[in-house]
Amino acid sequence: METPTPNKPGEMTTLSQIMAKLHSKGFDNEFKVSDHGRMQSPDGDQIYNPEDLKIIKTYRFEGESDPSDNSVLYLLEDQEGHKGYVLDAYGMYSSHDEAGFDEFLKKIPVEDREEQVIFGGL
């Protein structure tokens, strides 16, 4: 997983910066865990198994003093090229109580792409 660092010019370093960039590029699609223990598209029309998705980028954010401020953002893409995200706190502060959420994420293949490829330039 990647922890954004402020050392590169123009690099996004906060969750709000990343979310704003996602919104500006049309990544308003938050994937959810379905009642079936699988991932679901934002409109609920598509149910995914782990092999139906790819994690194309992971961002990890650490709070300076409060461990409950730690979060991780997964950018996902399905087999048809539809992109979206899953946002979660990590560790014991996870905001996903659904059974199998962590195991589901671990089974999704990872293809770490550069931000320029995902966002079409910064």
Side-chain angles (χ1 to χ4, degrees), residues 55-115:
I55 296 174
I56 59 174
K57 192 72 175 172
T58 302
Y59 295 94
R60 190 171 164 171
F61 304 94
E62 297 179 5
E64 289 186 31
S65 61
D66 185 355
S68 66
D69 287 342
N70 296 341
S71 59
V72 62
L73 176 69
Y74 302 96
L75 299 186
L76 303 173
E77 183 178 66
D78 71 12
Q79 294 175 337
E80 288 79 39
H82 301 114
K83 295 177 182 79
Y85 66 91
V86 172
L87 179 61
D88 190 22
Y90 60 87
M92 63 187 244
Y93 300 101
S94 176
S95 54
H96 288 277
D97 297 337
E98 301 90 351
F101 175 79
D102 290 336
E103 288 304 312
F104 187 96
L105 278 179
K106 289 176 186 175
K107 293 177 184 176
I108 299 174
V110 176
E111 178 187 299
D112 191 29
R113 297 182 190 168
E114 294 295 321
E115 287 176 344

Side-chain angles (χ1 to χ4, degrees), residues 11-74:
E11 186 172 7
M12 297 173 284
T13 59
T14 66
L15 178 57
S16 60
Q17 287 175 309
I18 299 291
M19 295 304 290
K21 188 64 158 181
L22 289 173
H23 178 71
S24 74
K25 296 294 183 176
F27 282 81
D28 292 333
N29 305 317
E30 184 175 6
F31 289 92
K32 304 281 186 185
V33 176
S34 73
D35 295 339
H36 308 91
R38 298 184 293 167
M39 204 65 72
Q40 177 174 313
S41 64
D43 58 14
D45 289 344
Q46 183 70 38
I47 301 292
Y48 300 106
N49 291 313
E51 62 273 10
D52 299 329
L53 298 166
K54 277 189 269 189
I55 296 174
I56 59 174
K57 192 72 175 172
T58 302
Y59 295 94
R60 190 171 164 171
F61 304 94
E62 297 179 5
E64 289 186 31
S65 61
D66 185 355
S68 66
D69 287 342
N70 296 341
S71 59
V72 62
L73 176 69
Y74 302 96

